[in-house]
Amino acid sequence: MGIDSFCSLDGSDPFWDWNRTWQTHNPDLTPCFQNTVLVWIPCLYLWLFAPFYILYLKRNDRGYICMTHLNRAKTVIGFTLWLICWADVFYSFWERSHGAAIAPVYLVSPTMLGVTMLLATFLIQYERMKGVQSSGVMLNFWLIAIVCATVTFRSKILHALNEPASVNVFKYTTFYIYYTMLLISLILACLSDQPPLFSQAVKDSNPCPESGASFLSRITFWWITGLMVTGYKRPLEEKDLWSLNTEDKSQRVVPQLVRRWDQECNKVKRPVDKTLYSPKRAARGEKKDGQPIEESEILLAKTLQKTGEPSLFCALCRTFGPYFLVSSLYKIIHDILMFVGPEILRLLIQFVNDSSAPTWHGYFYTTLLFVCTCVQTLILQKYFHVCFVTGMRLRTAIVGAVYRKALVITNAARRTSTVGEIVNLMSVDAQRFMDLITYINMIWSAPLQVILALYFLWQNLGPSVLAGVAVMVLMVPVNAVIAMKTKTYQVAQMKSKDNRIKLMNEVLNGIKVLKLYAWELAFKDKVSAIRESELRVLKKTAYLGAVSTFTWVCAPFLVALSTFAVYVLMDEHNILDAQKAFVSLALFNILRFPLNMLPMVISSMVQASVSMKRLRVFLSHEELDEDNVERPAITACEIVDGAFSWSKDDSPTLKRIHVRIPEGALVAVVGHVGSGKSSLLSALLGEMQKQEGSVSIKGSVAYVPQQAWIQNATLKDNILFGRDAKDSWYQKVVEACALLPDLEILPGGDLTEIGEKGVNLSGGQKQRVSVARAIYCNCAVYLLDDPLSAVDAHVGKHIFEKVIGPQGLLQGRTRVLVTHGLSFLPQADLILVMVDGEITEMGSYTELLGRQGAFAEFLRTYTNTEQEEVEESVGGEAGLLISELLSCFHASAKSTEAARLTEADKANTGRVKLSVFWEYMKAIGLPLSIFSIFLFFCHHLSSLGSNYWLSLWTDDPVINNTQPNREMRLGVYGALGLTQGIAVFCYSVAVSVGGILASRYLHQTMLYNVLRSPMSFFERTPSGNLVNRFAKETDTIDSVIPSIIKMFMGSMFNVLGSCAVILIATPLVAIIIPPLGLLYFFVQRFYVASSRQLKRLESVSRSPVYTHFNETLLGTSVIRAFGEQQRFIRESDGRVDHNQKAYFPSIVANRWLAVRLEFVGNCIVAFAALFAVMARDSLSPGIMGLSISYALQVTTYLNWLVRMSSELETNIVAVEKVKEYGDTEKEAEWRLEHSTLPAGWPTTGHIEIRNFGLRYREDLELAISDISVNIEGGEKVGIVGRTGAGKSSLTLGLFRIIEAAQGEICVDGVNIAELGLHELRSRITIIPQVPHLNTPKQCWGKLLLKVMHYNISLLRKKVTNYITKLLFMGSNNGIKYLARALLRKTKILVLDEATAAVDLETDNLIQSTIRTQFEDCTVLTIAHRLNTIMDYTRVLVLDKGQMAEFDSPSNLTAKKGIFYKMAKDSGLV
């Protein structure tokens, strides 16, 4: 039975009829086709997908949704549809029983449809039970059903109008009800149901709307609109961000990868039998000297041995592969749809050529084109969404896995990777994977696109396509060579950049010295020299970039030219008509993308494989054996016959360790530096490789390391360390650790935030916090690694008595204390003496003294030093000093914080002002800027010209199967292409060179402005901000901005050009372009507002991830000792999730934008085609082809334009930041133009200070006031006073680091305020208080020779060797400054506390040098040690910023004033 007789018994109803459906002005499908194909398509769809869908739902159960009105309505309509179908079937049977001849189709089709509707109803209920809020499968089913039914619906209405007599009322009625029900079902399917019971969304305060969004909202990314609206109204804040979806959170993602990785590791390990010798103590037998006899027993153990490397790639594929495969499916569909555009273009040109074709064909093609481009858009964006989410999960997983691994690797493994390298694994390598994931599909997709494009091109132009392909293939190696070259230049540029930043760091750290010595210009030249070499490399890169842009932009044209030339010249009967030319151009445009992407993807893969290897190596590192320490033990701590090393292959650091510590004992471990005391504690913690013996510990352990490890948290959190707060115990602990006075000083008490690595605490405070943390944890065993060495002697004593000692808080606990403090030893229950990694003696204090062994010698060595230490520890003043320092620190911390906040805010307010762009154009130079824009214009004009010429060529009349003017047409086409190429190359070079000129100018002015700023500016501005300007912002100006400008201008001209062509071809489009342009502009502004803020939130939340990781790496031993690994893992996961919370909306916002922009583009395509169809009579095929092929590219250009404009806005901020420092206050001029200063000034060194005073800031009191002093040339004057009396302020005034607020200073009769700063500062010399700037060793060599030249006659050889040694070790910057002073040999020398921080021998050397070498100079010394100035001519005593006394030391002593008191304190009187 054929299909025709299936539809009608007499065969009167054919299945298909061309005359009825296609070659007619009013098309319609045959009833047979309507009753079969149109009914079966939706049924087939649902039955095909249902099994897979049911399986999927079974696997992914999201919970149970209660019955809602929506669900009831869906179910009722489903049943109604089923009933309608059955009604049709029964009606057919009824008709048959009444003798009518009914074709089988009227029974089969409704039955099929009825069963399908029943399946649909079942699926609706099953979805509800499995927690599906909105279903794509069902929405598509209803959509297909309604589309198929609409054709029938139109047909039935036409039939009813044309032949009212033959209408079957019952069947028509049921069909209209059926159609209405379908419509309602479709509308209901668009809505979303309520969330399942107990789902995350119900519990969450701000859940991600994605899971509850309807299918339509999900594919168009409508669900993010709420956030975008908020972002448009006001800048987004952290509280606006949604929680992450459960499947994206660390706690879900990381364990999956870790589990798979462990499986991979276990695959490559195989068990091997291994023989071990274990020493065993004999129960009784002892040798004569009381040592037990040793025996050994042989053990057979199974150990695992590696047979190969585990594959991280497999682990990643198994974890993320299944989800990622979905994206590959999307990509295939998208790639196929890409070729629909050119194919429809071909049909449209054919339609214009064929005047007999019915008009509706054109509208049909237009609609088809619009639908295809829209579907293509949705699928592409869904593809990218899947890729980015996979990338995000991948990063989360890698960061989590690396973090977990870092907590368990051995010390030997730790040595192979630095902290920086491990942090790089998390930041750089994880990022590389994220970047690659988006494009990895191109590996198979690019060849597929190329093959399809070539197939269609071959269909179109035959073998001449090969010419074009050859050109493309030739371009690939050219681009590869350029990429390689660019890479080598990049490395060279990075090297110069690193050197420049290093030098800038030094300059900024030592800026005070630079100013005191008037060295700004010398260092400016030095930085500029490095900068110039950097710019030279940049210039080379720019030329390469120009060549690469040239190939990238001209490739499509060259390909088209070569193909068309070969095609028309090969055979004169080959006619280039519009269809061939423009379809080929459209295909060449498609071909361009994969060919350019392939090299990029391959290099990206190479990078990712390097990263993969680094990650694999790190994740395969050896882990600490948890069985190193046995628990529980019989005694508190015991090591039996232990030998320990830091790694498997090292010789043992500790050997023959046999120690047993009873519960509650206080054990002191002593020994020289490097004797293995800290290693012993590490062995007890299980941190070392156990080679022999056994270690056991009873109960929980607390550990205080030698270097205190402080977290970046509040002081209280540092002490609580994750335990619950118990106030009374906390107070006791803080008091016992002598932290109460510190808490009073700190601005927020115990809630003060401690900076990274504890920067705002002194060494002693850090150590006390570390001890407090251990005590608070209330453990059974305390391992204390020399905690008292970093604190003052009296504080140490206090802590020992209140905490560690027999009467302290820890009495009754087991305490193992490594110490150098001998005063504590008599109170210890047991002392272990260590020499070279062995315990040589143990016993109580009295026992050991009696033995006269290593312990007694140790005591003798350390007794002398300790007495000195005790004498030197100061009481009240130290406290005062700390409080002063801290108050200063907090004042400065507050101000830097204020500064930092204002600077952060500058970047984030609204749009970038046009003035910034104007500034940048001025930096390039206006003529060059205008010339570049002109070149852009030329390029696009010639590009349009060549394509317009092509359209004219294709419209040439055909005479005798040939086109007469083809050589001329081809020549002009080629010439236009050549013009285009030259313009591209020129503008590329112009923009790059302009960029380099701009970056040179901006960097130079910034450097000059920064160096011209006064000291107060550097105190206010954090050096990090300044370095950032010289590193990050300068880099942006150097390499990012020029390339973005090129792309931005290119995209802008492309869009304008396309619109122009479409307007010329079909002027009617003018009605549509303005509203679409407005929509485009609105969408773009809307997006940029949110996107910019999301980027900021993401980068702000990224650094805490790395800070926490850094911190963890430094404190792994402490974290492991306290057993806090899980808490830290949770904290790290939380921070990663917090970061991804900002990243996720930003990737969705990109998709949101892309969908909307591409929709605008698709509308332009549709309208261009629509109006072309409407004006087909007046349009030539060439112009129509030109118009639509341009329209097809508009979407891409629009996308780029938005991307580039937002990138340009984000990056041009760098120019604004760099220009900032031009407007800050500056110092006085360095040199005055008309200087009247005599050549040898100062000749005598006579200083007169008249009524002098100065203040540090406008809003502060005078720091010193009313000082009047007259110092003769050659006098030696000491300046003394307590801290903060204004001693240093006076020198700052002399050097005009701070300008005078009152009075004046005259040197040799010249008022220093009237001189240029460099004239003044270069003629007087200072040895400053803060030694910084390290100059290279070679300079020191030359300098030394000069110093030796001065000193050789006067100092003994030994001392000269000493100074040489000191200089080369760089151990004492004071001496370097002394050497500098000797070199300058000026008449006035200022010593600012230069010798306070050196030992006595060096001090004497410096003093004798000054006395001999500077005997005819005026010397001003700010002294800490009064003994250095007792032989000076006079002494100036300052008190509270005013002059208190001024006379010779002997007279002042006799007066018994302030000076006498100070001298008495120092023991000089």
Side-chain angles (χ1 to χ4, degrees):
M1 182 171 81
I3 189 89
D4 290 356
S5 53
F6 177 70
C7 291
S8 57
L9 294 173
D10 57 356
S12 60
D13 183 7
F15 177 70
W16 187 259
D17 180 359
W18 280 109
N19 293 328
R20 190 169 172 179
T21 50
W22 192 249
Q23 288 140 5
T24 170
H25 287 281
N26 190 7
D28 195 9
L29 291 165
T30 61
C32 177
F33 189 86
Q34 292 175 22
N35 288 331
T36 53
V37 176
L38 293 187
V39 172
W40 297 348
I41 286 175
C43 301
L44 261 173
Y45 163 83
L46 197 64
W47 284 100
L48 203 67
F49 279 96
F52 300 107
Y53 188 47
I54 291 169
L55 202 69
Y56 168 79
L57 289 178
K58 204 169 179 175
R59 290 257 178 93
N60 298 305
D61 194 346
R62 292 183 200 153
Y64 180 87
I65 299 178
C66 294
M67 200 55 146
T68 55
H69 291 310
L70 177 66
N71 213 284
R72 284 194 190 97
K74 285 182 183 176
T75 314
V76 167
I77 287 172
F79 272 123
T80 312
L81 284 164
W82 175 68
L83 288 172
I84 289 169
C85 296
W86 282 116
D88 265 358
V89 175
F90 289 131
Y91 180 72
S92 296
F93 276 119
W94 179 81
E95 274 188 321
R96 206 169 183 178
S97 66
H98 281 73
I102 298 295
V105 71
Y106 295 107
L107 296 171
V108 175
S109 286
T111 311
M112 226 172 130
L113 200 58
V115 176
T116 307
M117 289 305 163
L118 208 55
L119 173 67
T121 315
F122 163 74
L123 279 176
I124 289 168
Q125 282 308 313
Y126 193 61
E127 282 177 342
R128 178 182 69 81
M129 288 154 72
K130 292 296 179 188
V132 177
Q133 289 170 261
S134 173
S135 160
V137 173
M138 292 311 293
L139 181 83
N140 285 336
F141 168 69
W142 297 120
L143 185 66
I144 294 169
I146 197 95
V147 168
C148 291
T150 305
V151 178
T152 314
F153 184 69
R154 173 180 174 274
S155 191
K156 282 199 184 309
I157 287 178
L158 286 175
H159 184 237
L161 290 172
N162 297 336
E163 302 170 33
S166 63
V167 170
N168 183 329
V169 179
F170 181 80
K171 284 198 172 174
Y172 270 54
T173 312
T174 54
F175 179 78
Y176 292 145
I177 297 171
Y178 166 77
Y179 188 74
T180 315
M181 289 298 169
L182 278 185
L183 257 178
I184 297 171
S185 281
L186 179 66
I187 294 164
L188 292 180
C190 294
L191 305 176
S192 180
D193 215 332
Q194 64 179 40
L197 291 172
F198 318 118
S199 80
Q200 198 59 40
V202 181
K203 291 180 254 177
D204 212 325
S205 56
N206 191 7
C208 175
E210 184 183 15
S211 54
S214 68
F215 176 73
L216 275 181
S217 168
R218 281 222 292 277
I219 58 169
T220 55
F221 298 93
W222 188 261
W223 52 273
I224 191 187
T225 311
L227 188 72
M228 306 288 276
V229 171
T230 313
Y232 186 66
K233 287 181 184 161
R234 62 171 172 79
L236 289 173
E237 294 162 31
E238 216 141 90
K239 64 173 193 296
D240 302 320
L241 301 176
W242 320 299
S243 311
L244 273 182
N245 290 324
T246 322
E247 51 270 25
D248 298 332
K249 284 186 180 163
S250 295
Q251 63 194 49
R252 169 76 69 86
V253 178
V254 185
Q256 288 177 347
L257 178 65
V258 173
R259 193 174 69 246
R260 300 267 155 71
W261 170 246
D262 288 342
Q263 287 168 0
E264 288 298 320
C265 290
N266 292 334
K267 271 188 204 168
V268 297
K269 286 179 182 167
R270 65 156 190 254
V272 182
D273 285 340
K274 191 177 175 187
T275 316
L276 292 177
Y277 289 93
S278 166
K280 181 186 173 194
R281 297 243 162 230
R284 287 185 188 77
E286 288 196 355
K287 292 191 205 162
K288 287 174 189 163
D289 57 0
Q291 289 287 323
I293 298 168
E294 287 198 4
E295 297 181 16
S296 292
E297 58 178 283
I298 294 175
L299 298 172
L300 279 176
K302 273 202 178 336
T303 62
L304 293 171
Q305 197 177 8
K306 259 185 165 184
T307 55
E309 292 298 339
S311 164
L312 178 61
F313 180 69
C314 288
L316 288 171
C317 286
R318 288 173 57 201
T319 315
F320 303 107
Y323 179 71
F324 187 65
L325 274 175
V326 178
S327 74
S328 306
L329 186 71
Y330 287 135
K331 189 79 177 115
I332 290 178
I333 299 172
H334 172 259
D335 285 355
I336 292 167
L337 281 175
M338 273 171 78
F339 294 95
V340 173
E343 208 42 40
I344 294 176
L345 173 63
R346 188 173 67 78
L347 293 170
L348 273 169
I349 293 174
Q350 207 172 306
F351 164 75
V352 172
N353 272 334
D354 177 11
S355 52
S356 66
T359 317
W360 70 267
H361 283 192
Y363 297 126
F364 173 69
Y365 292 143
T366 305
T367 314
L368 197 61
L369 185 63
F370 182 66
V371 170
C372 278
T373 46
C374 286
V375 171
Q376 195 179 329
T377 294
L378 294 177
I379 283 182
L380 181 66
Q381 299 318 320
K382 200 70 194 151
Y383 159 73
F384 276 128
H385 184 62
V386 172
C387 286
F388 277 111
V389 171
T390 311
M392 180 176 96
R393 288 181 190 171
L394 188 68
R395 176 171 166 240
T396 300
I398 287 174
V399 172
V402 168
Y403 188 86
R404 283 158 175 74
K405 184 72 181 183
L407 283 173
V408 294
I409 60 173
T410 60
N411 284 293
R414 168 64 49 78
R415 264 185 271 165
T416 57
S417 351
T418 62
V419 174
E421 281 173 305
I422 301 177
V423 173
N424 268 350
L425 287 176
M426 289 175 83
S427 52
V428 181
D429 297 324
Q431 189 62 43
R432 275 193 188 154
F433 277 109
M434 268 176 83
D435 297 342
L436 177 67
I437 282 285
T438 342
Y439 296 114
I440 187 85
N441 276 324
M442 288 304 290
I443 278 298
W444 59 262
S445 159
L448 174 73
Q449 286 180 27
V450 170
I451 290 166
L452 283 173
L454 288 180
Y455 169 75
F456 285 113
L457 278 166
W458 189 281
Q459 294 284 313
N460 214 8
L461 296 175
S464 52
V465 169
L466 296 175
V469 174
V471 173
M472 280 193 172
V473 172
L474 281 175
M475 289 294 176
V476 174
V478 172
N479 278 336
V481 170
I482 291 173
M484 297 288 287
K485 265 281 188 241
T486 311
K487 204 165 185 184
T488 51
Y489 286 149
Q490 253 173 352
V491 173
Q493 187 206 341
M494 286 305 288
K495 205 171 166 188
S496 297
K497 189 174 142 195
D498 289 347
N499 289 337
R500 179 167 59 83
I501 300 305
K502 205 162 113 193
L503 185 59
M504 274 317 296
N505 250 326
E506 278 192 16
V507 168
L508 293 172
N509 286 336
I511 190 76
K512 191 169 182 183
V513 176
L514 239 74
K515 292 202 167 299
L516 290 169
Y517 279 83
W519 280 348
E520 294 100 330
L521 283 170
F523 272 90
K524 177 174 173 275
D525 294 344
K526 237 179 146 180
V527 174
S528 301
I530 299 178
R531 176 75 180 149
E532 279 308 313
S533 70
E534 194 183 342
L535 288 175
R536 274 198 296 278
V537 177
L538 260 175
K539 205 172 254 179
K540 288 180 188 167
T541 318
Y543 293 141
L544 269 181
V547 176
S548 140
T549 310
F550 172 75
T551 55
W552 158 245
V553 176
C554 290
F557 180 80
L558 287 174
V559 169
L561 179 67
S562 53
T563 309
F564 294 153
V566 171
Y567 180 69
V568 294
L569 297 175
M570 214 166 60
D571 178 357
E572 61 176 23
H573 294 300
N574 278 350
I575 292 167
L576 191 68
D577 58 10
Q579 189 176 320
K580 286 195 171 66
F582 289 106
V583 173
S584 304
L585 276 184
L587 288 167
F588 280 133
N589 279 330
I590 290 177
L591 197 54
R592 180 168 147 198
F593 181 69
L595 282 176
N596 278 292
M597 280 304 293
L598 257 181
M600 236 179 70
V601 174
I602 290 168
S603 74
S604 194
M605 281 184 75
V606 171
Q607 283 183 347
S609 69
V610 172
S611 295
M612 176 103 71
K613 187 179 173 198
R614 286 172 44 161
L615 274 166
R616 195 200 66 222
V617 169
F618 180 75
L619 292 174
S620 312
H621 275 327
E622 236 183 311
E623 297 183 9
L624 281 175
D625 190 356
E626 287 184 3
D627 305 332
N628 272 344
V629 181
E630 292 163 24
R631 295 169 186 203
I634 307 148
T635 57
C637 306
E638 184 174 26
I639 301 180
V640 180
D641 288 336
F644 303 91
S645 63
W646 285 109
S647 75
K648 270 186 179 168
D649 316 323
D650 290 4
S651 55
T653 313
L654 301 176
K655 42 196 180 296
R656 293 192 281 284
I657 301 288
H658 190 76
V659 63
R660 186 174 188 174
I661 297 167
E663 275 183 63
L666 167 56
V667 181
V669 183
V670 297
H672 291 290
V673 177
S675 59
K677 305 184 294 298
S678 299
S679 301
L680 181 68
L681 296 192
S682 297
L684 283 169
L685 287 168
E687 295 274 320
M688 292 183 78
Q689 196 74 41
K690 182 173 70 178
Q691 295 191 344
E692 288 174 20
S694 65
V695 184
S696 55
I697 281 190
K698 186 178 185 181
S700 54
V701 178
Y703 170 57
V704 178
Q706 203 163 354
Q707 291 282 321
W709 174 69
I710 303 292
Q711 281 184 275
N712 181 6
T714 64
L715 191 108
K716 187 169 187 175
D717 289 341
N718 264 297
I719 295 174
L720 297 181
F721 205 53
R723 305 289 197 278
D724 297 331
K726 298 178 193 143
D727 284 342
S728 55
W729 175 237
Y730 175 73
Q731 286 306 326
K732 270 188 198 166
V733 171
V734 170
E735 203 173 325
C737 292
L739 280 167
L740 285 176
D742 302 302
L743 293 185
E744 285 165 18
I745 297 165
L746 291 168
D750 61 359
L751 297 177
T752 306
E753 186 167 340
I754 309 301
E756 274 178 61
K757 300 179 190 169
V759 285
N760 46 342
L761 296 181
S762 67
Q765 286 169 322
K766 283 190 224 173
Q767 199 55 277
R768 296 204 295 280
V769 171
S770 183
V771 173
R773 173 199 298 146
I775 306 165
Y776 188 83
C777 286
N778 218 346
C779 298
V781 179
Y782 283 82
L783 305 178
L784 311 166
D785 194 350
D786 205 4
L788 306 178
S789 61
V791 297
D792 293 343
H794 62 284
V795 181
K797 202 170 167 193
H798 169 95
I799 291 179
F800 188 82
E801 283 168 12
K802 299 277 192 225
V803 178
I804 305 166
Q807 305 308 313
L809 280 179
L810 299 181
Q811 58 179 4
R813 308 286 165 81
T814 312
R815 291 142 295 166
V816 180
L817 171 70
V818 170
T819 184
H820 288 147
L822 308 180
S823 50
F824 311 133
L825 296 180
Q827 302 181 51
D829 303 320
L830 178 65
I831 296 173
L832 309 179
V833 183
M834 296 203 67
V835 177
D836 293 338
E838 294 188 42
I839 299 178
T840 52
E841 299 179 275
M842 60 169 98
S844 67
Y845 186 71
T846 41
E847 281 174 25
L848 291 177
L849 268 186
R851 286 193 200 158
Q852 286 295 321
F855 181 66
E857 184 206 332
F858 174 76
L859 278 187
R860 278 196 293 278
T861 317
Y862 278 92
T863 317
N864 311 335
T865 49
E866 185 144 301
Q867 281 164 345
E868 285 166 23
E869 275 173 28
V870 175
E871 282 167 21
E872 275 185 22
S873 78
V874 206
E877 193 153 333
L880 184 90
L881 222 141
I882 287 180
S883 70
E884 250 182 56
L885 271 171
L886 274 161
S887 62
C888 293
F889 173 85
H890 288 296
S892 75
K894 279 172 193 155
S895 67
T896 46
E897 200 163 313
R900 230 174 252 158
L901 285 174
T902 51
E903 280 177 19
D905 287 342
K906 269 182 198 164
N908 71 3
T909 49
R911 298 184 55 180
V912 182
K913 294 185 220 47
L914 283 172
S915 59
V916 179
F917 292 99
W918 181 242
E919 281 292 340
Y920 187 70
M921 278 180 73
K922 280 199 304 199
I924 295 175
L926 287 178
L928 188 58
S929 304
I930 292 162
F931 182 58
S932 303
I933 294 172
F934 172 70
L935 285 170
F936 265 107
F937 183 70
C938 289
H939 162 230
H940 283 89
L941 199 63
S942 55
S943 167
L944 281 177
S946 64
N947 284 332
Y948 182 64
W949 185 258
L950 185 67
S951 77
L952 293 177
W953 180 3
T954 58
D955 288 338
D956 274 353
V958 179
I959 301 158
N960 301 330
N961 271 344
T962 60
Q963 281 172 319
N965 302 334
R966 59 183 187 172
E967 279 82 4
M968 183 268 291
R969 291 288 192 194
L970 187 62
V972 174
Y973 186 59
L976 282 167
L978 188 68
T979 321
Q980 190 180 333
I982 294 167
V984 170
F985 187 73
C986 292
Y987 83 64
S988 197
V989 171
V991 171
S992 303
V993 170
I996 289 169
L997 291 176
S999 54
R1000 173 185 287 142
Y1001 167 76
L1002 290 167
H1003 181 270
Q1004 282 300 82
T1005 46
M1006 171 165 69
L1007 181 61
Y1008 181 71
N1009 284 332
V1010 166
L1011 290 176
R1012 285 266 289 112
S1013 302
M1015 271 314 294
S1016 55
F1017 166 80
F1018 294 97
E1019 279 150 16
R1020 253 196 342 267
T1021 315
S1023 67
N1025 285 10
L1026 285 167
V1027 171
N1028 205 10
R1029 296 284 183 278
F1030 282 100
K1032 180 84 180 65
E1033 317 301 357
T1034 305
D1035 185 53
T1036 305
I1037 293 170
D1038 284 349
S1039 42
V1040 181
I1041 293 181
S1043 66
I1044 285 180
I1045 284 180
K1046 261 194 282 194
M1047 291 199 247
F1048 173 72
M1049 297 292 286
S1051 316
M1052 192 172 71
F1053 276 111
N1054 275 332
V1055 170
L1056 293 175
S1058 303
C1059 290
V1061 169
I1062 298 169
L1063 278 170
I1064 292 167
T1066 46
L1068 266 175
V1069 176
I1071 311 164
I1072 285 302
I1073 282 185
L1076 282 179
L1078 272 173
L1079 176 66
Y1080 168 80
F1081 181 74
F1082 174 68
V1083 162
Q1084 192 238 12
R1085 292 297 348 140
F1086 204 69
Y1087 159 79
V1088 169
S1090 303
S1091 157
R1092 192 172 37 216
Q1093 199 61 14
L1094 284 169
K1095 270 200 187 108
R1096 278 195 68 237
L1097 288 171
E1098 197 267 333
S1099 68
V1100 166
S1101 62
R1102 194 184 310 136
S1103 26
V1105 176
Y1106 304 139
T1107 338
H1108 179 250
F1109 186 55
N1110 248 325
E1111 210 168 70
T1112 307
L1113 286 174
L1114 295 170
T1116 38
S1117 53
V1118 179
I1119 296 168
R1120 285 196 288 248
F1122 282 93
E1124 288 285 323
Q1125 294 97 316
Q1126 285 311 313
R1127 180 169 70 87
F1128 274 82
I1129 286 174
R1130 278 197 305 277
E1131 168 72 15
S1132 171
D1133 285 355
R1135 289 186 181 206
V1136 172
D1137 288 349
H1138 188 68
N1139 175 227
Q1140 301 288 36
K1141 230 165 82 171
Y1143 176 70
F1144 181 66
S1146 73
I1147 56 178
V1148 179
N1150 274 339
R1151 305 280 68 82
W1152 179 91
L1153 172 77
V1155 168
R1156 274 133 198 84
L1157 286 193
E1158 291 202 5
F1159 181 71
V1160 171
N1162 296 341
C1163 287
I1164 292 179
V1165 177
F1167 282 113
L1170 180 71
F1171 293 135
V1173 168
M1174 283 160 72
R1176 69 190 272 210
D1177 304 326
S1178 58
L1179 264 191
S1180 72
I1183 293 288
M1184 169 149 181
L1186 180 72
S1187 162
I1188 293 173
S1189 63
Y1190 263 100
L1192 281 173
Q1193 286 175 292
V1194 158
T1195 318
T1196 323
Y1197 294 148
L1198 281 179
N1199 243 329
W1200 265 109
L1201 187 59
V1202 168
R1203 291 269 177 286
M1204 286 306 118
S1205 55
S1206 68
E1207 284 282 297
L1208 190 60
E1209 268 197 40
T1210 319
N1211 287 298
I1212 201 85
V1213 173
V1215 177
E1216 192 177 18
K1217 286 181 174 173
V1218 165
K1219 293 295 287 181
E1220 249 171 44
Y1221 295 136
D1223 311 330
T1224 50
E1225 52 176 332
K1226 301 286 173 277
E1227 286 185 310
E1229 285 302 320
W1230 282 338
R1231 292 198 181 281
L1232 299 178
E1233 281 181 24
H1234 308 294
S1235 174
T1236 54
L1237 200 62
W1241 179 91
T1243 42
T1244 53
H1246 168 252
I1247 302 173
E1248 190 180 348
I1249 302 175
R1250 299 187 202 131
N1251 192 23
F1252 184 76
L1254 57 81
R1255 55 166 61 93
Y1256 280 89
R1257 273 214 316 272
E1258 291 299 315
D1259 49 347
L1260 296 178
E1261 300 282 311
L1262 288 172
I1264 50 175
S1265 57
D1266 306 323
I1267 293 184
S1268 299
V1269 181
N1270 195 359
I1271 299 168
E1272 294 303 325
E1275 265 196 287
K1276 309 283 180 279
V1277 177
I1279 304 174
V1280 298
R1282 300 237 176 243
T1283 311
K1287 305 187 295 293
S1288 291
S1289 306
L1290 191 57
T1291 50
L1292 294 178
L1294 179 61
F1295 280 86
R1296 284 179 61 197
I1297 294 289
I1298 297 171
E1299 298 288 354
Q1302 60 177 55
E1304 60 182 23
I1305 300 179
C1306 292
V1307 174
D1308 281 4
V1310 178
N1311 182 350
I1312 62 168
E1314 293 164 5
L1315 299 175
L1317 292 180
H1318 280 187
E1319 292 169 326
L1320 167 69
R1321 292 170 185 169
S1322 60
R1323 308 289 178 90
I1324 46 183
T1325 303
I1326 184 167
I1327 298 180
Q1329 185 177 9
V1330 270
H1332 259 298
L1333 221 70
N1334 279 320
T1335 332
K1337 289 264 168 79
Q1338 306 89 306
C1339 308
W1340 281 113
K1342 294 176 193 166
L1343 199 143
L1344 250 181
L1345 290 172
K1346 297 198 177 177
V1347 176
M1348 307 277 256
H1349 178 68
Y1350 282 125
N1351 288 359
I1352 214 109
S1353 55
L1354 122 131
L1355 296 171
R1356 295 198 311 283
K1357 195 159 191 280
K1358 175 181 159 206
V1359 181
T1360 313
N1361 288 344
Y1362 184 54
I1363 209 171
T1364 318
K1365 185 170 144 200
L1366 279 176
L1367 281 172
F1368 274 100
M1369 282 164 62
S1371 66
N1372 195 324
N1373 278 322
I1375 292 193
K1376 291 184 181 176
Y1377 285 98
L1378 174 67
R1380 281 181 190 157
L1382 285 169
L1383 272 181
R1384 285 174 84 146
K1385 205 74 167 106
T1386 53
K1387 277 290 174 191
I1388 299 176
L1389 173 69
V1390 182
L1391 275 96
D1392 190 350
E1393 298 178 350
T1395 59
V1398 295
D1399 52 55
L1400 290 163
E1401 193 180 348
T1402 319
D1403 191 6
N1404 293 335
L1405 162 69
I1406 291 177
Q1407 288 303 328
S1408 60
T1409 311
I1410 288 166
R1411 285 191 195 97
T1412 49
Q1413 289 297 307
F1414 295 96
E1415 57 189 327
D1416 56 341
C1417 303
T1418 310
V1419 179
L1420 305 180
T1421 303
I1422 294 175
H1424 257 195
R1425 297 180 178 168
L1426 292 190
N1427 58 346
T1428 55
I1429 58 161
M1430 288 312 266
D1431 59 346
Y1432 275 27
T1433 336
R1434 288 191 284 172
V1435 173
L1436 170 63
V1437 183
L1438 293 176
D1439 188 35
K1440 293 179 185 159
Q1442 296 191 322
M1443 185 173 88
E1445 301 168 347
F1446 185 41
D1447 211 333
S1448 65
S1450 49
N1451 292 357
L1452 290 177
T1453 314
K1455 276 187 193 167
K1456 305 221 166 173
I1458 297 177
F1459 184 74
Y1460 172 75
K1461 269 191 199 153
M1462 291 171 78
K1464 195 174 175 194
D1465 288 350
S1466 302
L1468 296 172
V1469 184

